[in-house]
């Protein structure tokens, strides 16, 4: 890829875990084009994501939605205005990092960038040129985008995820007034935006009670929309958890996970957040694609494919193993 690229736009209008999985590719892109202006086109919520990564992104454009894409409701009148703004930017490079390109490749071409790169399927449309690669369907989501960078002759800068914490995050966490001590509690995250990714509430309750038996407090996390399933888990528990679902900002949630002894979660955005923060734990995969969506650091976060091995004892043993690990120095009460 030519070094004279000055303006880049990335299209990835998806949720938290999807964006976190793209960060290693964006990191490589920034290292290769240190002076380029990089714009992220994402769902409206992702503007806060941009603010967390100012060294990687320079601008944000809220995606208004498009026919066939389920992530965002759209009004037809908004789409021409959006495309006009994209074309007015005169981007040198547009990166389609949304999926296999079947639906979005024609849309990305309408951005009017000098060069367009991304993925395509064998029968799907792709803009002219040699900057597109066949969609690699059997690889981890992190590696998929690094393969695109490799095709563009952009060296990768590691596979690690990132989630920088700010003073505001810690202030939001302190405002919760929780009595939990660093390294002495387990975060239990039973929710997921997709219902088929949810492990049964009774299973979460059983594992939460096991954590209490092993001497740890339990904190049930989730969004406001996930509060009903969180309350269901709490009702099924024999012990009393701390419930923070619906009460935390994304940053406060990250601080809570950062200082947890471990996390037990569905394979969802929260699992990638734990991966970025280095928190150990057990992740339950319910969607049949553990090799694509599991946390990238599998030595820290063990992913169990529940579809293949629906064995509660396996989860219990794995969680007990994570809780038996020594506390990291920064989380050890004795080191304060």
């Amino acid at each position: 890829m030519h070094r004279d690229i000055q303006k880049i736009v990335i299209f990835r209008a998806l949720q938290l875990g999807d964006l976190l999985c793209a960060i290693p590719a964006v990191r490589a892109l920034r290292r290769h084009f240190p002076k380029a202006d990089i714009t992220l086109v994402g769902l409206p919520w992702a503007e806060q994501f941009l603010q967390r990564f100012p060294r990687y992104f320079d601008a944000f454009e809220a995606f208004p939605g498009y026919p066939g894409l389920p992530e965002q409701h759209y009004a037809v009148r908004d789409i021409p205005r959006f495309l006009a703004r994209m074309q007015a930017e005169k981007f040198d490079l547009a990166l389609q990092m949304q999926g296999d390109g079947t639906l979005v490749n024609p849309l990305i071409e309408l951005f009017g960038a000098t060069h367009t790169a991304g993925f395509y399927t064998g029968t799907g449309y792709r803009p002219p040129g040699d900057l597109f690669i066949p969609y690699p369907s059997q690889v981890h989501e992190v590696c998929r985008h690094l393969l695109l960078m490799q095709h563009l002759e952009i060296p990768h800068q590691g596979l690690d995820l990132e989630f920088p914490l700010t003073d505001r995050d810690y202030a939001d966490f302190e405002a919760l007034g929780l009595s939990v001590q660093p390294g002495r509690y387990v975060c239990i995250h039973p929710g997921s935006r997709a219902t088929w990714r949810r492990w049964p509430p009774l299973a979460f309750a059983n594992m939460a009670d096991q954590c209490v038996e092993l001497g740890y407090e339990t904190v049930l996390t989730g969004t406001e929309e996930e509060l009903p399933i969180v309350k269901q888990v709490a009702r099924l528990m024999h012990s009393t958890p701390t419930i923070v679902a619906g009460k935390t900002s994304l940053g406060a949630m990250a601080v809570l996970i950062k200082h947890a002894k471990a996390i037990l979660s569905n394979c969802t955005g929260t699992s990638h957040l734990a991966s970025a923060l280095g928190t150990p734990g057990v992740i339950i995969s319910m969607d049949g694609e553990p090799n694509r969506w599991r946390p990238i650091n599998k030595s820290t976060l063990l992913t169990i494919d529940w579809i293949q091995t629906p064995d509660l004892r396996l989860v219990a043993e794995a969680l007990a193993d994570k809780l038996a690990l020594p506390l990291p120095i920064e989380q050890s009460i004795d080191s304060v």
Side-chain angles (χ1 to χ4, degrees):
M1 179 57 64
H2 300 294
R3 287 280 188 167
D4 59 354
I5 297 291
Q6 297 297 315
K7 296 188 71 174
I8 300 170
V9 59
I10 297 171
F11 181 73
R12 192 157 174 83
L14 297 169
Q15 302 298 335
L16 174 63
D18 305 280
L19 287 178
L20 289 175
C21 285
I23 284 296
V26 177
R27 180 170 61 229
L29 186 72
R30 171 56 79 197
R31 179 69 177 269
H32 197 68
F33 298 110
K35 296 182 179 179
D37 287 331
I38 300 178
T39 295
L40 172 66
V41 174
L43 299 178
W45 78 268
E47 186 168 8
Q48 62 176 297
F49 189 84
L50 180 94
Q51 295 167 356
R52 193 169 296 277
F53 290 93
R55 59 178 179 157
Y56 293 154
F57 301 104
D58 301 286
F60 176 77
E61 177 72 31
F63 179 56
Y66 191 74
L69 296 182
E71 290 82 11
Q72 176 78 359
H73 296 295
Y74 68 92
V76 171
R77 65 180 179 273
D78 294 333
I79 298 174
R81 292 196 289 262
F82 165 72
L83 290 174
R85 290 196 300 272
M86 292 294 95
Q87 293 166 11
E89 290 291 336
K90 300 185 183 302
F91 292 109
D92 298 307
L93 174 63
L95 290 169
Q96 185 279 100
M97 297 172 65
Q98 178 84 2
D100 66 15
T102 300
L103 289 173
V104 300
N105 281 351
L107 169 65
I108 305 306
E109 188 174 20
L110 292 176
F111 287 8
T114 304
H115 306 283
T116 304
F119 305 103
Y120 72 97
T121 61
T123 58
Y125 175 78
R126 56 171 164 156
D130 60 357
L131 300 184
F132 278 71
I133 63 173
Y135 185 70
S137 59
Q138 301 301 318
V139 301
H140 193 279
E141 190 69 10
V142 169
C143 299
R144 186 186 328 280
H145 301 291
L146 289 175
L147 286 173
L148 177 60
M149 296 301 110
Q150 178 179 292
H151 179 69
L152 300 177
E153 299 182 345
I154 297 174
H156 80 72
Q157 302 297 318
L159 278 67
D160 295 341
L161 305 190
E162 301 177 33
F163 193 87
L165 295 174
T166 67
D167 291 342
R168 174 63 182 273
D169 297 334
Y170 283 100
D172 286 349
F173 173 76
E174 291 298 329
L176 295 172
L178 301 179
S179 61
V180 294
Q181 297 298 313
R184 303 297 178 182
Y185 63 90
V186 178
C187 284
I188 310 289
H189 191 88
S192 174
R193 188 177 298 271
T195 57
W196 65 86
R197 290 184 176 177
R198 294 177 184 170
W199 203 39
L202 180 58
F204 274 111
N206 286 339
M207 292 301 97
D209 284 332
Q210 173 181 287
C211 293
V212 173
E213 291 173 3
L214 292 172
Y216 293 90
E217 294 185 65
T218 53
V219 180
L220 303 188
T221 63
T223 64
E224 186 173 356
E225 293 75 17
E226 293 166 337
L227 190 54
I229 193 171
V230 167
K231 289 183 176 179
Q232 185 178 3
V233 172
R235 287 195 299 269
L236 292 168
M237 291 175 60
H238 298 300
S239 54
T240 302
T242 297
I243 298 177
V244 299
K247 301 178 182 178
T248 61
S249 64
L250 178 58
M253 170 81 161
V255 173
L256 186 66
I257 291 174
K258 171 69 176 178
H259 293 290
K261 173 63 175 179
I263 184 172
L264 175 65
S265 171
N266 295 301
C267 193
T268 184
T270 302
S271 68
H272 298 296
L273 186 57
S275 178
L277 296 167
T279 302
V282 178
I283 307 302
I284 309 298
S285 174
M286 299 288 291
D287 61 7
E289 294 187 292
N291 291 332
R292 176 183 178 185
W293 289 113
R294 64 168 175 78
I296 195 71
N297 49 340
K298 57 183 178 181
S299 62
T300 302
L301 285 157
L302 176 66
T303 300
I304 293 178
D305 184 355
W306 190 256
I307 303 300
Q308 295 296 322
T309 54
D311 187 343
L312 195 61
R313 289 175 300 177
L314 180 64
V315 179
E317 291 170 0
L319 187 57
D321 182 64
K322 296 300 180 184
L323 294 177
L325 294 174
L327 288 174
I329 292 177
E330 69 271 17
Q331 291 187 331
S332 174
I333 301 300
D334 296 335
S335 70
V336 176

